[in-house]
Amino acid sequence: MNKQASETSSAQQAVDAAIVSRRSIRAFLPTPVAQEDIARILEVAARAPSGANMQPWKVYVLSGAARQRLSRRILDAYETPKAPDAPARTASYTYYPRQWTAPFIERRRKIGLDLYQLLGLERGDTAGMAAQHGRNFQFFDAPVGLIFTIERVLEQGSWLDYGMFLQNIMLAARARGLDTCPQAAFIHYHDIIRDELGVPASEMVVCGMALGYADPAKVENRLSTEREPLAGFVKFIAT
Ligand SMILES: Cc1cc2nc3c(=O)[nH]c(=O)nc-3n(C[C@H](O)[C@H](O)[C@H](O)COP(=O)(O)O)c2cc1C
């Protein structure tokens, strides 16, 4: 193999490995992540393309006491029983479809059931499921919690750009042996996040993300998710 061909093949392997080895990790080791590594990951990720190079992303990086404080405040709100007539929490935006239809509803059910089965939670164990959901707000014990915001004036196109930035973070993390879990769960607590982190009114919360080293001993990290085969979502059109 000539030099150029071998460089191409190792670049391909490295990129594919980062993409394929990324999984949502839901239990982390306490091992800290160096601030310079976080900074470099974010710097690399910000090479993501964006319409007119608008770069719509803003990131709040939480660790140590700041991470604990936000987690505590959200968990307090999450765990406080609501009065029956209390209004439901409003999210910063609507992430999931208002009406669940096939095939999405089945996929959502499957990942929920698979995760609960791994954790040994019985069907109908709503307290167990609620406790597992609550682990989101501790960033699944990751040493670093990221909160992402976007200026409200920006439109759908910028949200498309945002997804590329988020994926870049997750891949740059993989390249350094780090793991992540993107977390929409935080959008229901945008009011607490805003207050705790001093997020300006012009910004809205997009999601959170746990960042750290996966705990290989935890069963929830054994969850493997399926993907639709190519034939289900691709049409090759040549003639
Ligand atoms: C924007 C976004 C938000 C998500 N929010 C959550 C979340 O709040 N909690 C969680 O446990 N997983 C969350 N996930 C992870 C998905 O459940 C996961 O990506 C999906 O099941 C596929 O599994 P994989 O990431 O391991 O490939 C989120 C994923 C994305 C892309």
Side-chain angles (χ1 to χ4, degrees):
M1 212 187 308
N2 65 32
K3 187 164 173 282
Q4 200 184 352
S6 94
E7 271 169 15
T8 308
S9 129
S10 73
Q12 181 189 320
Q13 280 169 14
V15 174
D16 285 6
I19 294 172
V20 175
S21 70
R22 186 216 55 79
R23 294 181 302 127
S24 293
I25 288 299
R26 297 185 178 85
F28 289 82
L29 295 168
T31 316
V33 183
Q35 185 154 328
E36 66 204 57
D37 289 340
I38 307 170
R40 185 63 190 143
I41 288 169
L42 294 172
E43 210 165 41
V44 168
R47 295 307 306 175
S50 57
N53 199 19
M54 285 163 65
Q55 306 166 64
W57 34 81
K58 287 251 168 69
V59 191
Y60 296 78
V61 181
L62 307 177
S63 60
R67 216 258 309 133
Q68 303 281 8
R69 227 171 20 243
L70 180 69
S71 292
R72 192 62 264 153
R73 281 189 66 181
I74 297 180
L75 271 170
D76 282 348
Y78 177 68
E79 286 164 358
T80 302
K82 279 187 211 68
D85 54 348
R89 281 195 151 269
T90 52
S92 44
Y93 66 98
T94 307
Y95 183 89
Y96 290 108
R98 285 164 219 273
Q99 261 199 317
W100 283 93
T101 53
F104 311 110
I105 189 163
E106 288 81 10
R107 291 178 185 164
R108 179 184 72 155
R109 268 202 200 114
K110 177 159 182 16
I111 184 220
L113 286 176
D114 287 354
L115 178 63
Y116 295 143
Q117 200 169 32
L118 271 175
L119 288 162
L121 295 172
E122 305 275 335
R123 249 173 211 265
D125 181 359
T126 48
M129 291 174 193
Q132 173 58 27
H133 184 71
R135 296 213 3 95
N136 269 289
F137 306 121
Q138 285 163 309
F139 295 95
F140 301 111
D141 297 327
V144 182
L146 305 172
I147 296 288
F148 299 94
T149 67
I150 189 169
E151 288 287 334
R152 280 176 203 286
V153 291
L154 299 183
E155 298 285 355
Q156 278 183 25
S158 294
W159 286 74
L160 195 64
D161 306 338
Y162 217 116
M164 302 184 202
F165 173 64
L166 294 172
Q167 173 76 342
N168 274 359
I169 294 174
M170 296 189 274
L171 299 184
R174 280 311 300 132
R176 290 160 176 81
L178 286 157
D179 284 285
T180 53
C181 184
Q183 298 177 278
F186 283 100
I187 66 176
H188 296 277
Y189 295 90
H190 60 104
D191 50 343
I192 296 176
I193 293 172
R194 178 175 306 290
D195 183 65
E196 182 65 34
L197 308 184
V199 177
S202 62
E203 291 173 27
M204 67 195 278
V205 173
V206 174
C207 65
M209 187 184 286
L211 172 70
Y213 295 94
D215 184 341
K218 292 287 165 62
V219 283
E220 52 268 54
N221 288 340
R222 278 190 226 143
L223 181 68
S224 74
T225 56
E226 293 172 356
R227 294 295 188 272
E228 179 80 355
L230 226 56
F233 67 99
V234 180
K235 226 178 222 176
F236 290 98
I237 304 172
T239 52

